[in-house]
Amino acid sequence: MLVENYQLEIVNSECMPGAMGVHCFAHLDQDVAGAIPYVNAVLGGSVYIKSPPSVTFKAQGKLLTIHQDRISVNALKDEAEARKIVEWLIREINDAWENRESITPSYEAMPQPKLMDILKLLPKTNCRECKEPTCLVFATRLAEGAKGVEDCPPLTPENRKKLERYLGGFNFNF
């Protein structure tokens, strides 16, 4: 096991002190730089930086970044959500590290969903039933992982399946 312990630091946004969400840093007890390319290969990071090594993922409207000595996550409800996500990422780091012999490391960002591919499958009525002002904004939120296909009530069953299949290759749940 590569990472066994961490210290969680919860912070409020400095640029928005009255914001409802919090951010967290999980300070790791072990340097995970060597595991980052393997985690990237398994989870498909949207941003990969070679030096110093880090990988960033977009999921459910959050940015999750693994650095060599810490994990950072933004837009959290509370400490419980922070712990859930950090512990999931630590499991992913440990699993990737333990299985590294069967994983080809990736040093590049993975392809991300294309906005126009998503928009083509939406009804394009701007009905606002999804709580977004337009279908384009909703498509953007889908691409970010902040919304799900179930949030679009007028979506046809056929296009719902196509969209779920398409987005399934990009998003993950923790």
Side-chain angles (χ1 to χ4, degrees), residues 6-169:
Y6 66 92
Q7 298 297 319
L8 192 66
E9 176 186 2
I10 303 290
V11 295
N12 286 320
S13 174
E14 288 182 19
C15 60
M16 295 179 64
M20 298 300 288
V22 297
H23 309 296
C24 82
F25 297 99
H27 302 280
L28 306 176
D29 68 344
Q30 183 74 31
D31 185 320
V32 298
I36 291 174
Y38 297 98
V39 177
N40 185 41
V42 172
L43 296 180
S46 59
V47 177
Y48 184 87
I49 298 173
K50 293 180 184 177
S51 183
S54 69
V55 62
T56 299
F57 308 96
K58 295 178 186 177
Q60 300 175 13
K62 298 169 186 9
L63 294 176
L64 299 73
T65 304
I66 302 172
H67 304 271
Q68 63 190 30
D69 60 350
R70 70 189 178 286
I71 295 170
S72 59
V73 185
N74 76 341
L76 296 158
K77 290 183 282 192
D78 54 26
E79 183 176 337
E81 183 180 36
R83 285 196 186 281
K84 175 184 172 187
I85 294 170
V86 165
E87 289 173 7
W88 171 78
L89 270 174
I90 287 173
R91 282 193 304 275
E92 292 295 327
I93 292 167
N94 286 334
D95 287 348
W97 186 247
E98 289 173 18
N99 296 306
R100 65 188 178 278
E101 291 182 15
S102 63
I103 300 169
T104 303
S106 174
Y107 301 91
E108 304 292 331
M110 300 298 171
Q112 297 302 302
K114 293 184 171 88
L115 197 57
M116 294 314 291
D117 290 343
I118 295 170
L119 190 59
K120 281 189 239 179
L121 296 170
L122 295 177
K124 296 177 276 308
T125 59
N126 297 329
C127 68
R128 298 184 181 187
E129 288 185 56
C130 62
K131 311 281 189 277
E132 298 297 344
T134 66
C135 289
L136 180 59
V137 173
F138 180 73
T140 303
R141 303 287 285 154
L142 275 173
E144 295 170 343
K147 290 277 188 168
V149 294
E150 67 280 356
D151 294 317
C152 179
L155 194 60
T156 66
E158 179 185 345
N159 282 358
R160 183 178 312 278
K161 285 180 187 172
K162 287 179 184 178
L163 213 56
E164 285 171 346
R165 234 183 346 264
Y166 178 68
L167 293 172

